[in-house]
Amino acid sequence: MNKVINYLDKLYPNPKPQLNSNNSFEFLIAVVLSAQCTDVKVNKVIKVLFEKYDINSLAFAKISDLEQILKPLGMYRKKSIYIKNIANKIIDNNYIIPNNMKDLIKLDGVGRKVANVVMAQLYNKSCMPVDTHILRISKRLGIANDKDNAYIVEKKLVTVFSESKLNKLHLQLISFGRQICTARKPKCSECELKDICIYEKKS
Ligand code: SF4
């Protein structure tokens, strides 16, 4: 685990979230919209969305108007309904974004991964949101088993890595998964984890 941490610290000393936002509400919406979409696409859509709406006007927006803006994203019909409902719920909650898993997952379109991202980035809580990159890397490194689902992988990661490292590690692993330990043709020859990596040994 130390080797993983040291290598990722060397590669990505100051990892930053890739989603753009001007406030907590925009960040929450951006994370919800990012399901099964690239951050680049979400950032383009978010810019258009929040030029036209704020939380109050979004709560009364026409779904058909939201669909036009969200169309470049996957599941844009569902997401249009989700974000309108979220705006209404956050207004009902005195404009406060929940800071815990139990209340966050009550919001439309918010599952465990999105809730963990929000808690980590908005409230600086130690969390490990497991996305497709983190799932894949954890299995390749042998931290998790092939059959483990995202929830099990999350539990294993929070057990083996120290709590203080988790938020930074989450961002580092995403960058590592995008740039080096890619789904297809990972760049193992240049990766300094290859001597501890199960995938590389199997290959
Ligand atoms: S050796 Fe290859 S598969 Fe293993 S962590 Fe590095 S890039 Fe990923």
Side-chain angles (χ1 to χ4, degrees), residues 64-81:
S64 56
D65 291 345
L66 295 178
E67 285 178 353
Q68 283 307 311
I69 297 173
L70 268 51
K71 212 164 189 172
L73 306 177
M75 305 189 305
Y76 70 93
R77 288 201 168 92
K78 270 189 184 172
K79 288 176 179 174
S80 299
I81 298 169

Side-chain angles (χ1 to χ4, degrees), residues 140-141 176 180-181 186-188 191 194 197 199-200:
R140 285 178 174 175
L141 286 174
F176 182 59
I180 297 178
C181 193
K187 300 178 180 71
C188 302
C191 175
K194 57 180 172 288
C197 177
Y199 179 88
E200 171 65 0

Side-chain angles (χ1 to χ4, degrees), residues 31-201:
V31 184
V32 169
L33 294 181
S34 71
Q36 296 180 28
C37 280
T38 63
D39 291 350
V40 174
K41 267 190 187 177
V42 173
N43 284 337
K44 281 185 189 161
V45 165
I46 280 286
K47 187 170 183 298
V48 178
L49 181 71
F50 288 114
E51 271 170 10
K52 187 165 181 194
Y53 298 99
D54 61 11
I55 182 169
N56 296 305
S57 51
L58 185 58
F60 292 97
K62 269 190 184 172
I63 293 294
S64 56
D65 291 345
L66 295 178
E67 285 178 353
Q68 283 307 311
I69 297 173
L70 268 51
K71 212 164 189 172
L73 306 177
M75 305 189 305
Y76 70 93
R77 288 201 168 92
K78 270 189 184 172
K79 288 176 179 174
S80 299
I81 298 169
Y82 289 165
I83 64 172
K84 178 172 175 167
N85 289 348
I86 291 172
N88 277 288
K89 281 212 177 148
I90 299 301
I91 291 169
D92 290 347
N93 199 38
N94 295 321
Y95 295 86
I96 297 167
I97 313 278
N99 66 356
N100 61 80
M101 179 66 70
K102 182 171 146 279
D103 292 327
L104 277 165
I105 60 174
K106 286 180 187 162
L107 300 172
D108 282 14
V110 177
R112 196 171 173 87
K113 189 196 84 178
V114 171
N116 271 326
V117 172
V118 170
M119 290 192 293
Q121 299 304 326
L122 294 187
Y123 294 107
N124 205 24
K125 292 191 173 185
S126 296
C127 303
M128 178 50 74
V130 175
D131 72 348
T132 179
H133 299 295
I134 297 180
L135 196 67
R136 179 177 71 253
I137 297 164
S138 302
K139 291 177 181 182
R140 285 178 174 175
L141 286 174
I143 298 167
N145 298 321
D146 281 344
K147 288 184 181 165
D148 288 347
N149 61 25
Y151 179 69
I152 303 283
V153 172
E154 178 192 328
K155 294 292 156 202
K156 288 185 174 175
L157 289 171
V158 300
T159 305
V160 298
F161 287 103
S162 101
E163 203 180 312
S164 62
K165 304 278 184 196
L166 292 178
N167 288 358
K168 187 176 180 188
L169 180 65
H170 158 240
L171 298 173
Q172 290 171 320
L173 284 170
I174 292 173
S175 297
F176 182 59
R178 285 179 176 154
Q179 294 163 11
I180 297 178
C181 193
T182 46
R184 286 185 198 170
K185 297 189 182 164
K187 300 178 180 71
C188 302
S189 58
E190 67 182 71
C191 175
E192 292 182 16
L193 300 179
K194 57 180 172 288
D195 53 334
I196 59 166
C197 177
I198 287 176
Y199 179 88
E200 171 65 0
K201 286 195 180 96

